[in-house]
Amino acid sequence: MAEVLIKNGVVYDPLNGVKGEKKDICIRDGKVVESVTNPKVIDAEGRVVMPGGVDIHSHIAGGKVNSGRLFRPEDGRKGLEAKTKVCRMQSGYSVPNTFAIGYRYAKMGYTFVMEAAMPPLAARHTHEELVDIPILDNAALPLLDNNWMTMEYVNGGDMDLLAAYVAWIMKATKGFGVKIVNPGGTEMWGWGKNCSLNDTVPTFDVTPAEIIKGLAEANEKLEMPHSIHVHTNMLGHPGNFEITKETYDLVKGVNTVKDRQVMHTTHTQFHSYGGTNWGDFESKADAIAGYINQNDHATIDIGSVILGDTTTMTADGPMEYSLYQITGRKWTNHDVELETGSGITPFLYSGKSPVNTIQWAIGMELALLVEDPWKIALTTDHPNAGPFIGYPILISMLMSKKRREESSADMHKVIYDKALLPSIDREYDLNEIAIITRGMTAKALGLHEHGKGHLGVGADGDVAIYDMSPEETDAGKIQKAFLNTKYTIKDGQIVVKDGEVVATPDGKTYFVTPECDDKLTDEMMVKLKDKFDHYYTVTLNNYPVQDAYVPNPYEIKTQMRG
Amino acid sequence: MFVCTRYKWIKMGTKVNLISGRTTVQGRNLDSKLSEEYFDEVARCDLNKADLEKLGVAADESVKVNTSYGEVIVKAKEDGGTPEGIAFMPMGPWANAVVSGDTHGAGMPVYKGIDAEIEKTGEKVLHVKELMQTYMG
Amino acid sequence: MQTIKLKLKSEVTSGVAKIPVEVDSLTPDKLFGKTEAEIKAVTVWWGNKEENTGDLFDVSVDGTAGSADEVKIVLDGDLSRVKRIGDGMTAGEIEANGDVDMHCGAMMNGGKITVKGNADCWAGREMHGGDLVIDGDAAANLCAMYRGETTGMTGGKVTVGGNADECVGQYMGGGEIVIKGNARMLAGLNMHGGKIVIEGDAVMPGADMTSGEITVKGTVRDMMPSFKLEGTESIDGAEYKKYSGDLAMTAKKAKGTLYVK
Amino acid sequence: MVEVTDVVCSLCGCVCDDIVVEVEDNKVTKVKRGACSVGKSKLMGHNRIKSPAIRVNGELKDCSYDEAIKKAAEILAASRRPLLYGWSSTVCEADKVGVELAEELGAVIDNTASVCHGPSVLAIQDVGLPSCTLGEVKNRADVIIYWGANPAEAHANHMKRYSYVSKGFWTEEGKKAKKLVVVDVRATKTSKMADVFLQIEQGKDYLVFSALRAILYGHADVVPDEVGGVSKKDLLETAEMMKGAKFGATFFGMGVTHTGARQNNIVNAIQMTRAAHTHTKFTITPMRGHYNVAGINQVCTWETGFPFAVDLTRGYAWYNPGELSATDLLIRQECDAALIIASDPGAHFPGESIKHLAKIPVIQIDPFPNPTTEFADVVFPAAVSGVEAEGNVYRMDNIPIRLRKLIDSEYPEDEAILKRILDEVRAIKEKEGN
């Protein structure tokens, strides 16, 4: 197969300690190798070269994403682009169609995206869309926290059986890791209610705190590549930062044999709020960042706001209902039997709004106040805080205080009273940008062991070449370079050249198959079968995702610890 | 338990408000619309006993259903559930022969709530193939 | 002043299928400054193929224009399958001699369109300014929004000489609509600004309105059951009942005004 | 004889998946359990289209698949405004090829939602849809409303499996502890089971929804004594019943989507649900008809951005039901060729629209002969999805389920036929230098 040699680039490969060195990259048969003999040569001419981007948390596929598209034709009409000889048609801005997701991510130099929430019962849907997204390698995190099975095992303290159930769900959904969203709250939402971290969920008699801790233990028993991935309780509520910190504390004592965090908490911007109501609302990014700085068991992603109209969507049904009550705009809700739910509502982040202004500041504050970039990832919780297409804006903001000052001047003046951003001088360098967009994310997901997020020998031949020199300081030029690569190379194939998509190979789907003791599985299955016999409306045999849904599989096997 | 039955939409004589909809037998024959069972079930118009009497029509006699958009011959049936002034036809080619295609910018034709006139007729009910032939040429 | 005459050739609409021609590229803004030959070379969509205007229309140009304001386009021929007349125009004038197809005056920002006939659905959709005069009837969704949007017309004036079909001015936020004849069901649906006057009859006007004003001079059939009678008022010498609504949207939002005889 | 369990029904939007059948000599010989009479009829099979055929001088003449593919591709490639319609009684895998074909042709693609729950989709685009999976209703709902729907006839297993009659976690007692409200113009098999039957005047649904909303928001004072044939007293009692629910579930059918204000009836039904939700948990779900009409809406949305009535003329999607839905295109005589798959406009479109279909070249892909076959010019027999072919479908609550293949077929699957037409269209365009 073809060989590729990328010459004269300035390489940022943080997982291998390469911080802006002039270095050649050799690729053969889609993998990085020591040397090549007869390669196609790409002259990077002193441009910035990074491994393909790895997005740790984005909503790109599945029921609620598509419900977002379906109920927002007014968003669909915003991103219309005609088909070309290479590309299919595109539509949408905050909820792009499958093709546009693949092309737009690839143009930004990303080659792997994690779908952050997959309802197990509707897993087939998530996979149908993932397959339809061109270019990107992908995976999805099944929701496991409001499942009746989970709550019953947590209630009984049966952590081994809980692990067996988690293993079964992972296999049945072809999922990658354990997702937790407003634990307990979504079950309560079945009755139109919500709950906080230490409230008891009636009927199941467990607290969200117990659910989180139980799933963290089960996750580590299964030696999953990724830690539990948590959307903590009370998202978006003023004063929630205390709950966020308390949530981090829950798993402090959980041991892992893996070289990673034991908890990743996501879209932390929405969970770093001070005040008691929207009137005295303020940033508590410093408190959260302080915690992360002092502890090593938790990582976060920022979920930074991109100003403008977007479509919010989450498995956190009650949160979306609150948001809809504020805006009065259209609202879709979809509770999923015995497992989870979801809500969707459009939202406009306006620089004229004091609340939105503080939210806008918090995401960046987190990124700037967390000292070690290996603990933090760049996200917008696409499309919740804004669409992924806004990443280059964030990158330019993090790299330029000047840009932040210019933008702050256009925001509501509350930014100078209740946000910390104006007082922060730090500017990210390209090495740090490479960490929060590929090195850290691949490592936090455990995918660095599977060739993602770095350019060492044996890594996937996924490379982004940005049309900028490492010395570039102009924020506008940085933003432009990160929006459209000079080249994006996927598995050794050029997929983007000069900002245009030139090839659209299929991506692979990564999933984990944890094995555990048969006797344990058998015991778990008795309970599970009862759920299907009496409460589910789909039969047990029709539930697991068939192989046909994952035509390009990448399987990662793990074994439960005894 | 309470039941609201004060039904006010009663028109005079043979003028009716026509609605179409699904039935079990119609559904059972979705994949065999050329069958006799489908013909018997779908080429029909349900009316209240009082309306049938007004028309002087017995069950299974032919009636002509007339709207601004077309006319069609079907068998009359008595149905106690259908209020006076309402005619029900199972969804299918016969009902659709008298439905307007105008969707008023909604994409959906008005399949229910069509002003229709019903009269007794001696003409025969067309089979589905014959009915389709009327659209040709 | 410049007059550009575009007469649709009869063969375009004489086939078994009457495939629409979409003329969003033929507005005073876009044709200003072009020679006759250049206008003939402007492409329009006819079905799934792009054609030269000169191949579908007889084109003649008379006079000169110093700006788009001075351009008048006169459309002739069977226009019943000509869509998007004056789509997005900001200046100048279009006169359409006959019935026109959908989206006439959609996204219009300025200038004037006169339709000497009926206009099909979505005339004046999301109109922001200018004047749209329809001598005949207007089909459904006059001055309404695009699917999913919550704002329709925001400015300008629309006058319909005849009747209007369902959902006149849905999600209207501003501007004025006058219907000389009757309006079918749900005129002013979801209206949150602007003014609608219906000189004839209306069915269920004002449903879900949160602001703005509707006046029905004829009879109202199926008055919404969720409006509050506030009293009576005299308009142009006639006595009207004044309602506020729609309380089905909650009291906080029910700030619309409906005048009914 | 082999017994096959967990068979998935490919008839209506209920997509029951616990059916047990017997298969012998490559035939389904018996439906033992699980299916309603409509579903059973589907599984047992019907007369088939026997061979591909092309109409010559008014008569369909049998031909090979190759010949039919060539003819179909020629018709479509030459068309200036082709319509690709149907897609609801086939699997998502075929629907995906359909969207690609439409894109290649610059066609309009529409599906049967446009004459079924298209108005519901428009309503969702207006106000959203607070809904849930059917299992939520089964386990929690104590007040169930069927509005303009007659599941006892149209979705025969719906009440038993999912709603009023079913027993779930918090609803162990079944219907004894539930209230059933039916709103309809006619007394039906369903209304006979109801605790409350509101028999409303035909076409007055919109007014009744608004009245209930006003009451639920505390403005009963403005509501007149009678709305749409229903007394204020009955409306007040219905509203109280809704407010008193622990979990309310509204289902609505074509009695509302086909009537009067159509899409705005549904907007109002959803608004009523939102109003009820300010008091207690309330959900609303459309009673989707075909087993995969929800699925083509899903596929069309994730691929084009929009669920139905999509015009791909300019290479990108322009969405507008009422302009681009099939009945509109046909009554306006806009299209010059049509491909009809897994649906039957001949039976289900207004006569005025069929007249134009009869005039233009029509390609039909279907396992069964139907009224559309009477004027189709190229006919492809296809395997029956859910009996002879597997694939993904979406239940009325958008839960994806994989249809099972029970027996082998001599006929190709929809997906395979479409792929061959697509390849042939591309070959023609290549030759023409496009």
Side-chain angles (χ1 to χ4, degrees):
Chain A
M1 203 185 140
E3 293 181 331
V4 179
L5 172 62
I6 301 164
K7 279 191 359 189
N8 304 323
V10 181
V11 177
Y12 292 84
D13 180 11
L15 274 167
N16 292 304
V18 180
K19 300 179 184 177
E21 293 168 25
K22 203 151 198 182
K23 194 170 179 292
D24 293 346
I25 309 287
C26 304
I27 302 172
R28 186 187 309 119
D29 294 341
K31 300 281 182 199
V32 176
V33 290
E34 293 278 5
S35 62
V36 282
T37 50
N38 187 22
K40 174 186 172 59
V41 177
I42 296 170
D43 189 350
E45 295 176 286
R47 293 184 174 88
V48 170
V49 175
M50 291 185 185
V54 175
D55 195 335
I56 197 168
H57 185 109
S58 179
H59 299 280
I60 55 168
K64 68 182 180 305
V65 175
N66 217 32
S67 294
R69 293 184 190 108
L70 185 141
F71 94 151
R72 297 209 69 193
E74 77 280 17
D75 185 88
R77 83 196 281 209
K78 280 187 199 163
L80 297 174
E81 280 183 60
K83 75 186 272 274
T84 67
K85 288 237 184 299
V86 179
C87 294
R88 305 280 306 267
M89 62 193 137
Q90 298 181 54
S91 77
Y93 168 68
S94 68
V95 277
N97 65 338
T98 47
F99 309 133
I101 288 173
Y103 307 148
R104 293 176 193 173
Y105 259 117
K107 284 188 189 184
M108 297 194 310
Y110 276 75
T111 53
F112 179 95
V113 180
M114 175 64 73
E115 163 50 50
M118 173 163 72
L121 180 60
R124 264 175 288 275
H125 185 164
T126 306
H127 285 291
E128 278 210 297
E129 288 192 32
L130 286 175
V131 166
D132 223 37
I133 295 173
I135 304 171
L136 302 178
D137 289 338
N138 54 67
L141 302 174
L143 290 147
L144 271 149
D145 53 318
N146 282 282
N147 309 47
W148 294 2
M149 288 287 287
T150 298
M151 289 191 288
E152 286 178 17
Y153 284 139
V154 169
N155 170 275
D158 305 316
M159 291 308 133
D160 284 349
L161 287 166
L162 177 59
Y165 172 63
V166 170
W168 187 83
I169 283 285
M170 231 30 86
K171 287 188 273 194
T173 64
K174 300 206 189 292
F176 185 83
V178 174
K179 181 69 188 293
I180 298 172
V181 173
N182 186 4
T186 310
E187 167 53 35
M188 298 283 281
W189 180 239
W191 303 111
K193 301 182 173 74
N194 197 2
C195 67
S196 191
L197 190 59
N198 296 305
D199 296 342
T200 300
V201 182
T203 308
F204 299 95
D205 196 22
V206 291
T207 65
E210 291 162 353
I211 296 172
I212 294 167
K213 200 155 179 247
L215 283 169
E217 283 172 17
N219 192 73
E220 297 314 325
K221 277 179 193 289
L222 295 171
E223 299 189 0
M224 298 290 285
H226 187 33
S227 65
I228 54 167
H229 191 114
V230 186
H231 157 148
T232 58
N233 297 79
M234 306 316 276
L235 181 150
H237 288 259
N240 63 10
F241 81 105
E242 297 281 9
I243 290 164
T244 307
K245 286 200 314 182
E246 217 182 307
T247 306
Y248 297 160
D249 267 340
L250 289 171
V251 296
K252 227 173 172 175
V254 176
N255 294 319
T256 179
V257 296
K258 311 292 278 189
D259 175 23
R260 56 149 170 75
Q261 75 286 353
V262 290
M263 174 195 272
H264 178 77
T265 59
T266 187
H267 37 69
T268 308
Q269 175 268 126
F270 291 118
H271 306 271
S272 307
Y273 295 170
T276 55
N277 58 52
W278 293 118
D280 63 5
F281 174 67
E282 61 177 351
S283 168
K284 282 289 177 190
D286 51 344
I288 298 297
Y291 187 102
I292 297 296
N293 286 338
Q294 285 156 20
N295 291 279
D296 290 329
H297 67 284
T299 56
I300 64 173
D301 64 75
I302 56 180
S304 212
V305 165
I306 303 295
L307 295 176
D309 190 62
T310 195
T311 310
T312 68
M313 52 177 68
T314 161
D316 191 342
M319 180 266 150
E320 290 289 345
Y321 182 64
S322 309
L323 201 56
Y324 142 69
Q325 284 183 306
I326 293 169
T327 66
R329 293 176 73 176
K330 50 186 148 185
W331 166 58
T332 277
N333 179 74
H334 197 65
D335 299 341
V336 178
E337 64 208 56
L338 289 86
E339 293 179 353
T340 179
S342 68
I344 315 163
T345 196
F347 194 82
L348 173 71
Y349 291 102
S350 164
K352 293 190 175 68
S353 146
V355 170
N356 297 166
T357 295
I358 296 166
Q359 290 179 307
W360 176 82
I362 290 174
M364 286 180 277
E365 289 167 8
L366 287 167
L368 295 163
L369 294 173
V370 169
E371 288 153 9
D372 179 359
W374 290 100
K375 291 178 176 175
I376 192 160
L378 180 97
T379 62
T380 59
D381 185 20
H382 165 83
N384 284 302
F388 66 79
I389 204 77
Y391 288 180
I393 300 174
L394 287 174
I395 290 170
S396 71
M397 293 272 185
L398 295 179
M399 291 184 73
S400 165
K401 178 167 167 61
K402 183 161 166 270
R403 172 110 205 241
R404 297 199 295 269
E405 282 170 350
E406 285 165 6
S407 299
S408 298
D410 294 335
M411 306 292 291
H412 192 282
K413 61 179 177 8
V414 75
I415 191 150
Y416 300 107
D417 308 329
K418 293 191 176 174
L420 313 164
L421 192 65
S423 66
I424 304 172
D425 292 331
R426 182 176 169 195
E427 290 182 336
Y428 267 60
D429 62 24
L430 283 166
N431 184 56
E432 289 171 316
I433 293 293
I435 293 170
I436 66 170
T437 55
R438 40 271 278 171
M440 177 276 174
T441 49
K443 184 161 176 289
L445 290 169
L447 282 171
H448 60 310
E449 293 173 358
H450 299 275
K452 289 291 168 204
H454 70 103
L455 293 170
V457 168
D460 289 353
D462 296 358
V463 187
I465 304 174
Y466 294 105
D467 195 6
M468 61 182 275
S469 99
E471 279 77 43
E472 184 60 66
T473 54
D474 181 293
K477 286 184 180 158
I478 292 170
Q479 182 183 332
K480 194 164 163 253
F482 276 97
L483 186 62
N484 288 310
T485 60
K486 178 75 180 168
Y487 289 95
T488 304
I489 294 152
K490 171 80 192 339
D491 294 324
Q493 182 183 6
I494 298 171
V495 291
V496 177
K497 189 180 176 196
D498 296 326
E500 295 298 324
V501 174
V502 294
T504 62
D506 293 333
K508 297 185 288 292
T509 298
Y510 289 63
F511 58 92
V512 179
T513 50
E515 295 302 336
C516 50
D517 181 61
D518 283 348
K519 261 173 43 196
L520 201 59
T521 302
D522 291 346
E523 190 185 340
M524 182 277 297
M525 287 306 288
V526 174
K527 193 189 228 351
L528 186 62
K529 194 168 175 302
D530 178 69
K531 295 280 179 287
F532 279 95
D533 286 347
H534 296 103
Y535 310 123
Y536 270 111
T537 57
V538 171
T539 71
L540 176 60
N541 290 331
N542 283 324
Y543 185 94
V545 172
Q546 293 83 353
D547 290 343
Y549 291 82
V550 185
N552 304 302
Y554 185 101
E555 184 182 15
I556 298 170
K557 290 187 176 167
T558 72
Q559 185 69 45
M560 182 171 166
R561 261 189 287 150
Chain B
M1 149 136 188
F2 57 98
V3 175
C4 160
T5 53
R6 274 164 297 109
Y7 200 83
K8 289 291 171 67
W9 211 101
I10 297 169
K11 282 226 169 170
M12 309 261 293
T14 57
K15 295 226 179 188
V16 294
N17 183 331
L18 174 66
I19 58 179
S20 61
R22 281 190 214 147
T23 74
T24 304
V25 182
Q26 170 259 335
R28 202 155 69 206
N29 286 280
L30 273 179
D31 293 333
S32 58
K33 296 200 192 81
L34 307 181
S35 69
E36 283 302 312
E37 192 182 40
Y38 184 75
F39 176 76
D40 290 342
E41 173 74 5
V42 181
R44 73 162 215 244
C45 178
D46 292 358
L47 290 159
N48 189 292
K49 190 175 177 188
D51 282 332
L52 280 175
E53 278 169 7
K54 264 183 243 164
L55 285 169
V57 175
D60 283 338
E61 286 186 340
S62 294
V63 289
K64 182 185 278 183
V65 181
N66 232 309
T67 70
S68 314
Y69 321 107
E71 59 176 50
V72 70
I73 318 292
V74 288
K75 290 262 193 302
K77 287 264 161 63
E78 187 191 320
D79 177 39
T82 303
E84 233 177 299
I86 294 277
F88 172 83
M89 292 177 73
M91 63 186 280
W94 292 273
N96 285 328
V98 296
V99 170
S100 166
D102 190 352
T103 77
H104 304 274
M108 170 65 84
V110 183
Y111 284 103
K112 297 177 170 74
I114 307 154
D115 286 334
E117 281 185 42
I118 299 191
E119 61 186 354
K120 189 174 173 169
T121 180
E123 293 177 55
K124 94 175 192 23
V125 181
L126 294 184
H127 260 270
V128 68
K129 289 192 174 209
E130 296 166 329
L131 188 62
M132 285 298 125
Q133 279 303 316
T134 65
Y135 295 121
M136 308 289 178
Chain C
M1 198 66 202
Q2 181 182 54
T3 304
I4 301 168
K5 288 196 170 177
L6 301 168
K7 183 173 189 241
L8 190 69
K9 295 180 178 181
S10 61
E11 56 264 35
V12 176
T13 51
S14 61
V16 169
K18 305 203 181 314
I19 297 167
V21 180
E22 301 189 347
V23 297
D24 40 319
S25 54
L26 304 179
T27 59
D29 305 86
K30 289 177 180 165
L31 297 189
F32 164 66
K34 287 196 159 59
T35 64
E36 188 175 308
E38 285 167 343
I39 291 170
K40 283 180 173 170
V42 171
T43 57
V44 292
W45 284 94
W46 185 30
N48 55 21
K49 292 174 184 66
E50 273 188 291
E51 306 286 350
N52 291 328
T53 298
D55 292 338
L56 303 187
F57 292 88
D58 295 323
V59 180
S60 69
V61 180
D62 189 30
T64 57
S67 71
D69 273 323
E70 293 172 23
V71 176
K72 178 177 181 177
I73 298 172
V74 178
L75 289 162
D76 281 304
D78 177 1
L79 305 174
S80 66
R81 286 296 177 274
V82 179
K83 282 182 178 171
R84 305 192 188 200
I85 292 171
D87 186 324
M89 73 188 270
T90 68
E93 196 180 340
I94 297 180
E95 182 182 298
N97 290 309
D99 297 348
V100 298
D101 207 350
M102 296 176 178
H103 307 293
C104 176
M107 316 284 288
M108 188 174 175
N109 261 307
K112 183 176 184 183
I113 301 177
T114 309
V115 177
K116 304 209 159 159
N118 305 319
D120 213 322
C121 302
W122 288 284
R125 164 175 58 79
E126 300 172 301
M127 180 170 169
H128 305 306
D131 235 327
L132 171 62
V133 178
I134 298 162
D135 286 352
D137 296 338
N141 307 327
L142 174 74
C143 302
M145 74 304 168
Y146 178 71
R147 302 295 184 192
E149 299 281 3
T150 47
T151 303
M153 180 178 184
T154 57
K157 181 168 182 185
V158 176
T159 312
V160 177
N163 303 318
D165 202 350
E166 299 175 8
C167 303
V168 170
Q170 185 174 4
Y171 278 111
M172 182 171 181
E176 191 183 349
I177 303 173
V178 177
I179 312 288
K180 303 274 186 194
N182 307 321
R184 287 178 61 125
M185 67 172 80
L186 298 170
L189 178 62
N190 288 111
M191 186 172 180
H192 50 84
K195 197 174 165 183
I196 300 176
V197 176
I198 298 160
E199 300 195 350
D201 304 340
V203 185
M204 299 195 284
D208 286 2
M209 73 189 292
T210 53
S211 189
E213 186 185 302
I214 303 174
T215 306
V216 183
K217 298 190 172 176
T219 351
V220 167
R221 189 153 62 83
D222 293 341
M223 175 66 198
M224 292 305 299
S226 41
F227 273 63
K228 187 178 175 194
L229 183 61
E230 302 282 1
T232 58
E233 229 169 82
S234 169
I235 304 172
D236 299 334
E239 192 85 341
Y240 286 83
K241 286 184 211 138
K242 182 183 179 183
Y243 288 92
S244 66
D246 184 345
L247 284 161
M249 296 295 284
T250 72
K252 203 175 124 200
K253 291 185 180 172
K255 307 289 183 216
T257 306
L258 173 63
Y259 293 102
V260 173
K261 267 200 173 146
Chain D
M1 191 275 288
V2 189
E3 187 178 277
V4 189
T5 62
D6 304 285
V7 171
V8 185
C9 180
S10 56
L11 197 284
C12 86
C14 286
V15 193
C16 301
D17 73 331
D18 57 351
I19 295 165
V20 181
V21 304
E22 284 178 7
V23 172
E24 198 166 3
D25 294 339
N26 202 40
K27 274 200 184 77
V28 177
T29 49
K30 192 173 175 191
V31 179
K32 289 179 74 175
R33 279 197 303 281
C36 68
S37 80
V38 177
K40 191 170 166 182
S41 159
K42 169 89 187 210
L43 285 161
M44 296 296 289
H46 295 284
N47 281 337
R48 302 288 287 268
I49 299 173
K50 298 285 188 293
S51 161
I54 297 175
R55 195 172 294 277
V56 184
N57 299 326
E59 295 290 321
L60 280 176
K61 292 263 186 302
D62 288 358
C63 66
S64 68
Y65 275 97
D66 286 350
E67 289 168 301
I69 299 274
K70 189 160 173 288
K71 181 74 182 167
E74 280 169 8
I75 290 170
L76 292 171
S79 167
R80 197 180 268 279
R81 195 154 177 76
L83 164 67
L84 312 187
Y85 177 80
W87 313 106
S88 302
S89 289
T90 186
V91 295
C92 294
E93 289 81 350
D95 293 339
K96 277 175 72 168
V97 186
V99 174
E100 198 172 357
L101 178 63
E103 192 182 22
E104 187 66 45
L105 292 167
V108 176
I109 184 161
D110 188 28
N111 54 70
T112 65
S114 74
V115 291
C116 180
H117 276 282
S120 311
V121 175
L122 291 180
I124 292 165
Q125 291 172 343
D126 202 356
V127 287
L129 187 78
S131 189
C132 61
T133 67
L134 294 167
E136 284 290 280
V137 177
K138 171 189 163 94
N139 288 310
R140 297 181 202 261
D142 56 346
V143 171
I144 287 153
I145 303 175
Y146 285 102
W147 197 308
N150 182 11
E153 297 236 22
H155 296 86
N157 276 354
H158 194 268
M159 286 190 280
K160 189 174 77 186
R161 273 178 65 90
Y162 307 122
S163 75
Y164 181 53
V165 186
S166 71
K167 293 177 182 175
F169 191 78
W170 287 278
T171 54
E172 281 170 328
E173 292 181 72
K175 65 181 179 183
K176 270 186 286 180
K178 302 182 195 183
K179 291 274 182 256
L180 177 65
V181 179
V182 174
V183 186
D184 208 321
V185 172
R186 301 188 302 144
T188 62
K189 273 191 196 170
T190 310
S191 73
K192 288 189 180 105
M193 301 168 69
D195 296 292
V196 175
F197 174 38
L198 298 180
Q199 190 169 24
I200 67 170
E201 283 184 41
Q202 204 286 323
K204 300 294 165 82
D205 305 74
Y206 192 88
L207 295 170
V208 179
F209 284 125
S210 284
L212 280 169
R213 283 166 63 191
I215 294 168
L216 288 165
Y217 282 132
H219 306 298
D221 54 326
V222 304
V223 174
D225 290 343
E226 185 181 313
V227 180
V230 184
S231 73
K232 185 169 178 177
K233 180 178 156 287
D234 290 355
L235 289 172
L236 290 169
E237 284 190 40
T238 305
E240 281 308 309
M241 186 179 279
M242 291 171 76
K243 283 153 78 172
K246 284 201 201 73
F247 185 111
T250 307
F251 294 98
F252 63 94
M254 295 192 301
V256 215
T257 67
H258 279 175
T259 295
R262 302 184 311 296
Q263 75 276 21
N264 292 313
N265 285 334
I266 314 305
V267 169
N268 220 345
I270 296 168
Q271 292 282 29
M272 177 192 75
T273 307
R274 302 203 321 183
H277 208 293
T278 60
H279 299 278
T280 183
K281 182 83 181 185
F282 234 92
T283 64
I284 181 164
T285 305
M287 298 286 284
R288 305 300 302 254
H290 291 290
Y291 67 89
N292 198 31
V293 63
I296 175 60
N297 289 162
Q298 293 287 358
V299 171
C300 198
T301 299
W302 79 60
E303 293 216 321
T304 73
F306 310 96
F308 68 114
V310 176
D311 184 352
L312 297 168
T313 285
R314 301 191 186 192
Y316 57 80
W318 167 250
Y319 163 72
N320 199 19
E323 175 180 12
L324 302 161
S325 17
T327 41
D328 292 286
L329 286 178
L330 292 171
I331 194 175
R332 291 163 47 83
Q333 306 164 43
E334 271 198 32
C335 42
D336 57 355
L339 181 145
I340 308 292
I341 177 166
S343 69
D344 183 12
H348 295 143
F349 277 9
E352 286 184 276
S353 312
I354 301 171
K355 269 180 204 152
H356 185 64
L357 258 189
K359 279 190 202 136
I360 60 172
V362 170
I363 299 149
Q364 183 189 30
I365 304 174
D366 209 293
F368 309 106
N370 58 32
T372 300
T373 319
E374 296 303 308
F375 51 78
D377 299 283
V378 184
V379 176
F380 293 94
V384 182
S385 298
V387 180
E388 299 165 345
E390 59 177 23
N392 197 66
V393 304
Y394 288 80
R395 204 166 68 181
M396 63 169 68
D397 56 351
N398 289 311
I399 290 305
I401 301 177
R402 190 165 188 81
L403 296 184
R404 287 170 186 270
K405 178 179 171 174
L406 309 175
I407 56 176
D408 293 325
S409 176
E410 57 185 297
Y411 304 110
E413 298 171 11
D414 293 324
E415 184 188 358
I417 295 169
L418 289 161
K419 271 189 176 152
R420 289 194 58 196
I421 295 174
L422 176 60
D423 288 344
E424 188 66 25
V425 165
R426 285 190 171 138
I428 292 170
K429 288 185 131 189
E430 185 99 347
K431 224 185 278 170
E432 289 172 352
N434 294 325

